[in-house]
Amino acid sequence: LLQKGFSDKLLKAVAASSAALVVSIIIAIPLIFTISETGFFSGPSIFLFILFAAAYSKFDSKFTKMSFSKNEIKVNKGLFLFRNWRKHTLPVSSIISARVYNNSENDNEWEIVFYNSENSSFYKETIQTNQPMDPVFVKELISNRIAYYKS
């Protein structure tokens, strides 16, 4: 068997690192003030609510959680409104490469490329995480013959 599998590992996006979340919060402040002063059905309130909904939807739909266990990888997209709107459960053999952009000790951006044989498509998932680099996970990537790059 060429692939040994993984011990349990979870990579989860950091919500605070998303620009769409920051924009949502910035829009929410005047939205709350406008609703309290003019009511929800005023023009400015509706306009700000639409902007807020669009920004939050972008953030929520892009949130990614990726878990590795034994001989499979699970990818779940969405945080609250779009929770699990896109789910993949794939064998470890479908992972093409893993690249980590190490910005600081606890600020890593993982880019995982994998192939989904169900729909014959390649996917790239990027996860900004505040988890420190795990040397055991890196060794497991290499022992499973997955291309690993560190930038």
Side-chain angles (χ1 to χ4, degrees):
L1 184 65
L2 292 176
Q3 290 170 316
K4 299 169 178 34
F6 291 93
S7 55
D8 291 343
K9 176 72 176 168
L10 177 68
L11 293 176
K12 191 180 343 180
V14 177
S17 67
S18 171
L21 180 63
V22 173
V23 170
S24 297
I25 292 169
I26 291 171
I27 294 171
I29 294 167
L31 172 63
I32 292 167
F33 177 75
T34 305
I35 289 173
S36 69
E37 292 297 317
T38 63
F40 183 75
F41 294 105
S42 68
S45 295
I46 292 172
F47 176 73
L48 286 171
F49 181 76
I50 290 170
L51 285 178
F52 172 78
Y56 182 79
S57 295
K58 181 174 180 170
F59 157 73
D60 195 278
S61 66
K62 297 236 180 236
F63 185 85
T64 305
K65 183 172 61 170
M66 190 176 291
S67 61
F68 298 83
S69 63
K70 306 276 187 244
N71 291 320
E72 70 180 14
I73 175 177
K74 292 181 182 179
V75 180
N76 294 328
K77 299 288 279 186
L79 178 64
F80 182 65
L81 295 175
F82 295 104
R83 184 179 200 103
N84 297 329
W85 71 275
R86 190 166 79 184
K87 293 171 71 171
H88 302 290
T89 300
L90 306 161
V92 170
S93 59
S94 65
I95 303 173
I96 307 295
S97 67
R99 178 181 296 253
V100 64
Y101 298 93
N102 189 266
N103 301 326
S104 69
E105 184 178 333
N106 290 334
D107 183 19
N108 299 305
E109 184 175 340
W110 286 88
E111 180 182 276
I112 310 284
V113 177
F114 59 94
Y115 177 74
N116 189 347
S117 59
E118 292 177 6
N119 59 8
S120 301
S121 298
F122 288 92
Y123 292 93
K124 177 177 81 170
E125 294 293 343
T126 304
I127 302 172
Q128 181 78 30
T129 180
N130 61 359
Q131 297 167 297
M133 283 287 290
D134 184 0
V136 173
F137 181 63
V138 172
K139 285 180 183 176
E140 289 176 344
L141 285 169
I142 294 168
S143 70
N144 282 295
R145 303 186 193 290
I146 296 168
Y148 169 73
Y149 307 96
K150 183 178 179 185
S151 299

